[in-house]
PDB file of all heavy atoms in Angstrom:
ATOM      1  N   LEU A  50      21.209   4.940  -9.308  1.00 83.00           N
ATOM      2  CA  LEU A  50      22.168   5.363 -10.327  1.00 83.00           C
ATOM      3  C   LEU A  50      23.324   4.378 -10.504  1.00 83.00           C
ATOM      4  O   LEU A  50      24.007   4.420 -11.517  1.00 83.00           O
ATOM      5  CB  LEU A  50      22.719   6.751  -9.983  1.00 83.00           C
ATOM      6  CG  LEU A  50      21.688   7.877  -9.925  1.00 83.00           C
ATOM      7  CD1 LEU A  50      22.348   9.171  -9.479  1.00 83.00           C
ATOM      8  CD2 LEU A  50      20.998   8.056 -11.265  1.00 83.00           C
ATOM      9  N   GLY A  51      23.542   3.534  -9.515  1.00 83.00           N
ATOM     10  CA  GLY A  51      24.628   2.563  -9.594  1.00 83.00           C
ATOM     11  C   GLY A  51      25.846   3.023  -8.815  1.00 83.00           C
ATOM     12  O   GLY A  51      26.039   4.215  -8.580  1.00 83.00           O
ATOM     13  N   VAL A  52      26.677   2.081  -8.428  1.00 83.00           N
ATOM     14  CA  VAL A  52      27.851   2.397  -7.609  1.00 83.00           C
ATOM     15  C   VAL A  52      28.903   3.160  -8.404  1.00 83.00           C
ATOM     16  O   VAL A  52      29.748   3.840  -7.829  1.00 83.00           O
ATOM     17  CB  VAL A  52      28.462   1.124  -6.976  1.00 83.00           C
ATOM     18  CG1 VAL A  52      27.524   0.537  -5.948  1.00 83.00           C
ATOM     19  CG2 VAL A  52      28.808   0.097  -8.038  1.00 83.00           C
ATOM     20  N   ASN A  53      28.892   3.056  -9.714  1.00 85.00           N
ATOM     21  CA  ASN A  53      29.878   3.739 -10.553  1.00 85.00           C
ATOM     22  C   ASN A  53      29.370   5.079 -11.074  1.00 85.00           C
ATOM     23  O   ASN A  53      29.943   5.635 -12.011  1.00 85.00           O
ATOM     24  CB  ASN A  53      30.289   2.848 -11.727  1.00 85.00           C
ATOM     25  CG  ASN A  53      30.944   1.567 -11.262  1.00 85.00           C
ATOM     26  OD1 ASN A  53      31.643   1.557 -10.251  1.00 85.00           O
ATOM     27  ND2 ASN A  53      30.711   0.478 -11.975  1.00 85.00           N
ATOM     28  N   ALA A  54      28.291   5.590 -10.482  1.00 84.00           N
ATOM     29  CA  ALA A  54      27.701   6.843 -10.955  1.00 84.00           C
ATOM     30  C   ALA A  54      28.632   8.021 -10.665  1.00 84.00           C
ATOM     31  O   ALA A  54      29.378   8.021  -9.692  1.00 84.00           O
ATOM     32  CB  ALA A  54      26.347   7.070 -10.286  1.00 84.00           C
ATOM     33  N   ASN A  55      28.528   9.001 -11.522  1.00 86.00           N
ATOM     34  CA  ASN A  55      29.293  10.240 -11.380  1.00 86.00           C
ATOM     35  C   ASN A  55      28.848  10.954 -10.099  1.00 86.00           C
ATOM     36  O   ASN A  55      27.647  11.092  -9.861  1.00 86.00           O
ATOM     37  CB  ASN A  55      29.016  11.099 -12.614  1.00 86.00           C
ATOM     38  CG  ASN A  55      29.837  12.349 -12.668  1.00 86.00           C
ATOM     39  OD1 ASN A  55      30.463  12.740 -11.685  1.00 86.00           O
ATOM     40  ND2 ASN A  55      29.824  12.971 -13.828  1.00 86.00           N
ATOM     41  N   PRO A  56      29.761  11.424  -9.251  1.00 86.00           N
ATOM     42  CA  PRO A  56      29.379  12.107  -8.009  1.00 86.00           C
ATOM     43  C   PRO A  56      28.481  13.332  -8.235  1.00 86.00           C
ATOM     44  O   PRO A  56      27.618  13.618  -7.412  1.00 86.00           O
ATOM     45  CB  PRO A  56      30.716  12.517  -7.394  1.00 86.00           C
ATOM     46  CG  PRO A  56      31.706  11.568  -7.966  1.00 86.00           C
ATOM     47  CD  PRO A  56      31.213  11.236  -9.344  1.00 86.00           C
ATOM     48  N   GLU A  57      28.673  14.020  -9.354  1.00 88.00           N
ATOM     49  CA  GLU A  57      27.806  15.175  -9.652  1.00 88.00           C
ATOM     50  C   GLU A  57      26.373  14.711  -9.902  1.00 88.00           C
ATOM     51  O   GLU A  57      25.413  15.371  -9.486  1.00 88.00           O
ATOM     52  CB  GLU A  57      28.321  15.953 -10.871  1.00 88.00           C
ATOM     53  CG  GLU A  57      29.621  16.686 -10.631  1.00 88.00           C
ATOM     54  CD  GLU A  57      30.843  15.807 -10.862  1.00 88.00           C
ATOM     55  OE1 GLU A  57      30.739  14.784 -11.583  1.00 88.00           O
ATOM     56  OE2 GLU A  57      31.900  16.126 -10.289  1.00 88.00           O
ATOM     57  N   ASN A  58      26.219  13.586 -10.593  1.00 85.00           N
ATOM     58  CA  ASN A  58      24.881  13.047 -10.850  1.00 85.00           C
ATOM     59  C   ASN A  58      24.210  12.599  -9.556  1.00 85.00           C
ATOM     60  O   ASN A  58      23.005  12.782  -9.371  1.00 85.00           O
ATOM     61  CB  ASN A  58      24.948  11.881 -11.833  1.00 85.00           C
ATOM     62  CG  ASN A  58      25.320  12.319 -13.230  1.00 85.00           C
ATOM     63  OD1 ASN A  58      25.246  13.502 -13.562  1.00 85.00           O
ATOM     64  ND2 ASN A  58      25.730  11.378 -14.056  1.00 85.00           N
ATOM     65  N   VAL A  59      25.005  11.996  -8.660  1.00 86.00           N
ATOM     66  CA  VAL A  59      24.466  11.560  -7.367  1.00 86.00           C
ATOM     67  C   VAL A  59      24.002  12.776  -6.572  1.00 86.00           C
ATOM     68  O   VAL A  59      22.903  12.773  -5.992  1.00 86.00           O
ATOM     69  CB  VAL A  59      25.513  10.742  -6.585  1.00 86.00           C
ATOM     70  CG1 VAL A  59      25.030  10.465  -5.172  1.00 86.00           C
ATOM     71  CG2 VAL A  59      25.818   9.433  -7.302  1.00 86.00           C
ATOM     72  N   ALA A  60      24.808  13.830  -6.549  1.00 87.00           N
ATOM     73  CA  ALA A  60      24.442  15.045  -5.818  1.00 87.00           C
ATOM     74  C   ALA A  60      23.187  15.683  -6.413  1.00 87.00           C
ATOM     75  O   ALA A  60      22.304  16.142  -5.685  1.00 87.00           O
ATOM     76  CB  ALA A  60      25.600  16.035  -5.833  1.00 87.00           C
ATOM     77  N   GLN A  61      23.099  15.706  -7.752  1.00 87.00           N
ATOM     78  CA  GLN A  61      21.919  16.273  -8.414  1.00 87.00           C
ATOM     79  C   GLN A  61      20.673  15.444  -8.092  1.00 87.00           C
ATOM     80  O   GLN A  61      19.610  15.988  -7.811  1.00 87.00           O
ATOM     81  CB  GLN A  61      22.137  16.327  -9.925  1.00 87.00           C
ATOM     82  CG  GLN A  61      20.953  16.889 -10.687  1.00 87.00           C
ATOM     83  CD  GLN A  61      21.167  16.856 -12.186  1.00 87.00           C
ATOM     84  OE1 GLN A  61      22.199  16.414 -12.671  1.00 87.00           O
ATOM     85  NE2 GLN A  61      20.178  17.318 -12.926  1.00 87.00           N
ATOM     86  N   PHE A  62      20.814  14.116  -8.108  1.00 85.00           N
ATOM     87  CA  PHE A  62      19.700  13.228  -7.790  1.00 85.00           C
ATOM     88  C   PHE A  62      19.200  13.478  -6.368  1.00 85.00           C
ATOM     89  O   PHE A  62      18.003  13.575  -6.125  1.00 85.00           O
ATOM     90  CB  PHE A  62      20.134  11.764  -7.956  1.00 85.00           C
ATOM     91  CG  PHE A  62      19.048  10.769  -7.692  1.00 85.00           C
ATOM     92  CD1 PHE A  62      18.215  10.352  -8.707  1.00 85.00           C
ATOM     93  CD2 PHE A  62      18.850  10.244  -6.418  1.00 85.00           C
ATOM     94  CE1 PHE A  62      17.205   9.438  -8.471  1.00 85.00           C
ATOM     95  CE2 PHE A  62      17.855   9.329  -6.172  1.00 85.00           C
ATOM     96  CZ  PHE A  62      17.024   8.931  -7.202  1.00 85.00           C
ATOM     97  N   LYS A  63      20.142  13.569  -5.434  1.00 85.00           N
ATOM     98  CA  LYS A  63      19.771  13.805  -4.040  1.00 85.00           C
ATOM     99  C   LYS A  63      19.071  15.148  -3.883  1.00 85.00           C
ATOM    100  O   LYS A  63      18.093  15.263  -3.130  1.00 85.00           O
ATOM    101  CB  LYS A  63      21.002  13.741  -3.137  1.00 85.00           C
ATOM    102  CG  LYS A  63      21.518  12.345  -2.926  1.00 85.00           C
ATOM    103  CD  LYS A  63      22.706  12.338  -1.978  1.00 85.00           C
ATOM    104  CE  LYS A  63      23.166  10.935  -1.701  1.00 85.00           C
ATOM    105  NZ  LYS A  63      24.265  10.899  -0.723  1.00 85.00           N
ATOM    106  N   GLU A  64      19.530  16.158  -4.586  1.00 84.00           N
ATOM    107  CA  GLU A  64      18.907  17.487  -4.504  1.00 84.00           C
ATOM    108  C   GLU A  64      17.496  17.463  -5.081  1.00 84.00           C
ATOM    109  O   GLU A  64      16.562  18.002  -4.498  1.00 84.00           O
ATOM    110  CB  GLU A  64      19.771  18.511  -5.250  1.00 84.00           C
ATOM    111  CG  GLU A  64      19.265  19.922  -5.150  1.00 84.00           C
ATOM    112  CD  GLU A  64      19.342  20.483  -3.737  1.00 84.00           C
ATOM    113  OE1 GLU A  64      20.285  20.151  -3.001  1.00 84.00           O
ATOM    114  OE2 GLU A  64      18.435  21.255  -3.375  1.00 84.00           O
ATOM    115  N   GLU A  65      17.327  16.817  -6.228  1.00 80.00           N
ATOM    116  CA  GLU A  65      16.013  16.754  -6.887  1.00 80.00           C
ATOM    117  C   GLU A  65      14.986  16.001  -6.052  1.00 80.00           C
ATOM    118  O   GLU A  65      13.799  16.300  -6.102  1.00 80.00           O
ATOM    119  CB  GLU A  65      16.145  16.079  -8.254  1.00 80.00           C
ATOM    120  CG  GLU A  65      16.827  16.919  -9.300  1.00 80.00           C
ATOM    121  CD  GLU A  65      17.025  16.153 -10.602  1.00 80.00           C
ATOM    122  OE1 GLU A  65      16.673  14.945 -10.665  1.00 80.00           O
ATOM    123  OE2 GLU A  65      17.534  16.760 -11.547  1.00 80.00           O
ATOM    124  N   HIS A  66      15.437  15.001  -5.301  1.00 79.00           N
ATOM    125  CA  HIS A  66      14.515  14.163  -4.552  1.00 79.00           C
ATOM    126  C   HIS A  66      14.476  14.488  -3.061  1.00 79.00           C
ATOM    127  O   HIS A  66      13.890  13.735  -2.277  1.00 79.00           O
ATOM    128  CB  HIS A  66      14.861  12.689  -4.774  1.00 79.00           C
ATOM    129  CG  HIS A  66      14.557  12.225  -6.157  1.00 79.00           C
ATOM    130  ND1 HIS A  66      15.465  12.318  -7.179  1.00 79.00           N
ATOM    131  CD2 HIS A  66      13.437  11.696  -6.693  1.00 79.00           C
ATOM    132  CE1 HIS A  66      14.921  11.852  -8.288  1.00 79.00           C
ATOM    133  NE2 HIS A  66      13.687  11.469  -8.016  1.00 79.00           N
ATOM    134  N   GLY A  67      15.077  15.581  -2.666  1.00 79.00           N
ATOM    135  CA  GLY A  67      14.994  16.012  -1.275  1.00 79.00           C
ATOM    136  C   GLY A  67      15.751  15.123  -0.314  1.00 79.00           C
ATOM    137  O   GLY A  67      15.329  14.957   0.829  1.00 79.00           O
TER     138      GLY A  67
END
Side-chain angles (χ1 to χ4, degrees):
L50 298 176
V52 292
N53 298 326
N55 185 347
E57 291 86 22
N58 291 344
V59 172
Q61 179 183 0
F62 182 89
K63 287 182 176 183
E64 184 67 35
E65 288 175 357
H66 290 89

